[in-house]
């Protein structure tokens, strides 16, 4: 018989005897003994430890945040997310994650919706250990620190659309190569680029005498 079982049987027997006693001194003595046995049993009884349930982060659905403003100065970039009343959300529900070339801000339960601002690949490298966020009453400000002072044209990495490698230019007909490059720039460029190229083309034709 184990020590725990012996204590449990002692306790049961004393409790039976206690019910038959009338003298106060004897009752007090047995109550003291009962308290000792109960504490001993409690110590020897294995305790069941409840493991906290962990939520599977991958099952949480997020809605992307597409409206934002940003600015840069030197090696610093600030991104502004305008979210009315965000300051009332618990701090643990706003999770930020940075790498040398990515940004991920998760906001859980904002007005009943999980929201997320993410840059999978930034325009250039970051000092991720120095990046941070600041939550105000109505906004989240993301503070990014560039690895160098290089000017960013945009937040996301910009793929090289036009191949300007001089070795690939047509040495036999450089004018044709230039025309092809201008055509490619016009096809892939934005409205401002197309307008600039059209104006340059029109001006060059006028200088050649074609109207």
């Amino acid at each position: 018989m184990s020590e725990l079982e012996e204590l449990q049987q002692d306790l049961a027997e004393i409790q039976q005897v206690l019910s038959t006693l009338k003298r106060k001194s004897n009752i007090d003595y047995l109550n003291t003994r009962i308290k000792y046995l109960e504490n001993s049993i409690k110590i020897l009884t294995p305790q069941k430890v409840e493991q906290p349930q962990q939520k599977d982060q991958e099952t949480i659905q997020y809605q992307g945040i597409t409206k934002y403003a940003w600015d840069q100065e030197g090696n610093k970039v600030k991104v502004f997310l305008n979210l009315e009343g965000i300051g009332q959300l618990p701090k643990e529900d706003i999770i930020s994650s940075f790498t040398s070339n990515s940004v991920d801000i998760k906001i859980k339960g904002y007005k009943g919706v999980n929201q997320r601002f993410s840059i999978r690949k930034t325009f250039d490298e970051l000092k991720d250990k120095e990046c941070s966020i600041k939550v105000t009453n109505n906004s989240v400000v993301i503070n990014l620190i560039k690895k160098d002072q290089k000017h960013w044209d945009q937040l996301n990495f910009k793929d090289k659309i036009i191949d300007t490698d001089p070795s690939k230019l047509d040495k036999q007909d450089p004018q044709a190569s230039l025309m092809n490059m201008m055509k490619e720039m016009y096809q892939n460029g934005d409205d401002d680029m197309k307008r600039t190229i059209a104006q340059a083309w029109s001006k060059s034709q006028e200088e050649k005498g074609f109207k």
Side-chain angles (χ1 to χ4, degrees):
M1 184 182 297
S2 68
E3 182 181 358
L4 176 60
E5 290 173 333
E6 288 183 353
L7 290 172
Q8 289 172 333
Q9 288 190 8
D10 288 347
L11 177 62
E13 189 173 296
I14 290 176
Q15 286 174 332
Q16 287 179 354
V17 173
L18 182 64
S19 63
T20 65
L21 298 179
K22 294 181 179 180
R23 294 180 62 83
K24 184 177 183 300
S25 58
N26 291 332
I27 292 173
D28 290 342
Y29 173 78
L30 287 186
N31 278 332
T32 302
R33 181 63 180 171
I34 287 172
K35 189 172 182 181
Y36 167 78
L37 291 171
E38 286 177 341
N39 288 336
S40 299
I41 290 171
K42 186 175 181 181
I43 292 171
L44 293 175
T45 301
Q47 299 297 313
K48 185 178 179 181
V49 179
E50 294 289 340
Q51 295 294 332
Q53 294 183 350
Q54 296 188 4
K55 296 181 180 179
D56 185 359
Q57 296 294 330
E58 296 303 320
T59 63
I60 299 178
Q61 300 295 318
Y62 290 92
Q63 177 178 298
I65 298 175
T66 57
K67 293 183 178 181
Y68 61 89
W70 71 287
D71 194 14
Q72 63 182 312
E73 182 178 351
N75 70 330
K76 297 179 181 179
V77 175
K78 286 184 179 290
V79 183
F80 304 91
L81 309 180
N82 185 23
L83 301 167
E84 185 178 355
I86 188 66
Q88 299 176 5
L89 205 65
K91 291 182 179 180
E92 58 268 23
D93 288 340
I94 304 174
I95 305 168
S96 61
S97 176
F98 304 97
T99 70
S100 60
N101 60 1
S102 70
V103 178
D104 193 17
I105 311 298
K106 295 177 181 177
I107 303 171
K108 294 191 290 185
Y110 173 68
K111 295 186 176 180
V113 179
N114 298 319
Q115 303 216 31
R116 185 177 192 175
F117 175 82
S118 180
I119 306 175
R120 293 189 177 182
K121 189 173 184 181
T122 52
F123 186 84
D124 212 332
E125 288 190 276
L126 298 170
K127 293 182 178 179
D128 54 293
K129 301 298 183 184
E130 299 180 27
C131 297
S132 62
I133 64 170
K134 180 180 180 181
V135 180
T136 66
N137 290 336
N138 297 303
S139 68
V140 176
V141 182
I142 307 170
N143 299 298
L144 305 179
I145 306 299
K146 304 176 189 175
K147 199 169 184 179
D148 53 38
Q149 299 279 341
K150 187 184 297 183
H151 180 83
W152 286 17
D153 295 330
Q154 56 192 43
L155 291 178
N156 293 284
F157 178 78
K158 181 164 60 176
D159 290 313
K160 188 176 180 182
I161 299 175
I162 302 168
D163 192 347
T164 57
D165 186 351
S167 65
K168 296 183 180 179
L169 293 176
D170 188 344
K171 295 182 174 59
Q172 299 296 324
D173 190 354
Q175 185 65 28
S177 296
L178 181 60
M179 290 299 295
N180 288 334
M181 185 181 296
M182 294 290 286
K183 182 179 179 181
E184 187 177 355
M185 290 174 65
Y186 186 84
Q187 291 174 342
N188 292 300
D190 55 19
D191 291 341
D192 290 337
M193 175 66 75
K194 290 179 179 180
R195 186 162 46 250
T196 300
I197 293 173
Q199 291 174 351
W201 171 259
S202 177
K203 184 176 179 180
S204 66
Q205 293 303 304
E206 289 177 1
E207 290 175 352
K208 290 180 180 179
F210 298 107
K211 295 184 179 180

